[in-house]
Amino acid sequence: MSDALNYLVKVRPEAMAPYFKFLKEAGKHLDPKTRNLISVITKVHAQTENGFRQYLTRALREGATANEILDALLMAFPALGLAKIVWATDILLEMDIPEFRPDLLGALADWHDVAPVEELNDGEVSYLECDGRNLFVYRSEANIRVYDSRCPHQVTNIPHLALHGNQLTCPKHNWAFDIASGECVEKGDRPLHQFQHKVENGRLMAYW
Ligand code: FES
């Protein structure tokens, strides 16, 4: 939520509570993906950049594909007009989300060859690039975890430099994550996204 809305909730709770109740009730028959796609459109219509980034992330998390998001924007042309669609597309390009790259649009999920397992040391984190994505890979005695470098808040590509010991802190709004568990330990409320993985012929494979 924006600082402005947080302020209004604090100083006018009796006025703002019905507003939020209305929003919740209005969408209660819609599945989460549809609700978030509609919110993406409303944020583009109002041209609130943070809101757009936030609901875009939520729509992706609820299973919307890049093609569905682009379709939703184009379908809303009568309300948005070309200028606002271009405004949203500029932000999409700046975010550089792998799924939106022209060569990856519509790509089916598949296994990707990440690295030889022997190059991953116990108790250490490796920052790797694989087929257009950046990954944080944590290996412990018992387990391997493969994390998307994209922040679960607004899809920021968290850089390697953001890792201090076992804590990874997104530079955008300082959500902090425990790299051993993926859990968010400061500021935010969602864990890092983990990719399914397997070891085959001594190589770490990840699925996205
Ligand atoms: S994008 Fe907001 S904390 Fe990462």
Side-chain angles (χ1 to χ4, degrees):
M1 206 153 63
S2 69
D3 289 346
L5 280 177
N6 278 328
Y7 171 79
L8 288 172
V9 167
K10 195 168 175 187
V11 300
R12 288 289 184 276
E14 56 301 318
M16 296 305 287
Y19 167 69
F20 284 108
K21 186 163 186 285
F22 163 77
L23 289 181
K24 202 170 162 200
E25 287 296 311
K28 77 176 179 187
H29 294 104
L30 298 173
D31 63 84
K33 183 171 94 173
T34 307
R35 228 178 17 240
N36 284 304
L37 279 174
I38 292 172
S39 293
V40 165
I41 299 305
T42 62
K43 299 303 170 190
V44 175
H45 189 262
Q47 289 187 291
T48 50
E49 183 170 338
N50 271 342
F52 173 59
R53 288 173 184 261
Q54 196 163 322
Y55 281 98
L56 176 73
T57 311
R58 290 187 189 185
L60 288 168
R61 195 172 64 237
E62 295 297 344
T65 64
N67 270 328
E68 286 174 322
I69 290 166
L70 292 174
D71 279 1
L73 287 170
L74 293 172
M75 283 286 294
F77 176 86
L80 298 179
L82 186 58
K84 287 182 181 174
I85 295 173
V86 169
W87 173 84
T89 307
D90 276 337
I91 296 170
L92 279 176
L93 290 175
E94 188 192 310
M95 291 171 86
D96 190 28
I97 304 170
E99 290 90 333
F100 284 86
R101 292 179 193 149
D103 51 326
L104 296 180
L105 262 187
L108 296 176
D110 205 352
W111 287 100
H112 298 262
D113 187 342
V114 177
V117 177
E118 64 182 16
E119 287 183 7
L120 310 169
N121 297 323
D122 271 3
E124 286 184 11
V125 185
S126 306
Y127 179 71
L128 303 167
E129 194 278 337
C130 178
D131 295 339
R133 279 186 189 280
N134 294 116
L135 307 168
F136 289 95
V137 178
Y138 176 77
R139 182 175 186 185
S140 65
E141 230 173 85
N143 203 356
I144 294 178
R145 291 174 188 263
V146 182
Y147 301 106
D148 192 354
S149 67
R150 297 286 172 159
C151 180
H153 183 210
Q154 289 184 10
V155 213
T156 297
N157 194 11
I158 306 175
H160 193 197
L161 287 175
L163 183 68
H164 297 284
N166 270 8
Q167 184 154 315
L168 182 66
T169 305
C170 176
K172 191 89 185 267
H173 311 100
N174 298 319
W175 284 26
F177 307 90
D178 173 10
I179 204 81
S181 66
E183 290 305 315
C184 187
V185 291
E186 271 174 37
K187 281 219 148 186
D189 55 9
R190 285 192 295 281
L192 288 170
H193 178 66
Q194 286 190 54
F195 292 118
Q196 189 187 345
H197 71 276
K198 64 181 179 182
V199 176
E200 215 171 71
N201 301 324
R203 298 198 65 89
L204 175 66
M205 314 283 288
Y207 189 81
W208 63 76

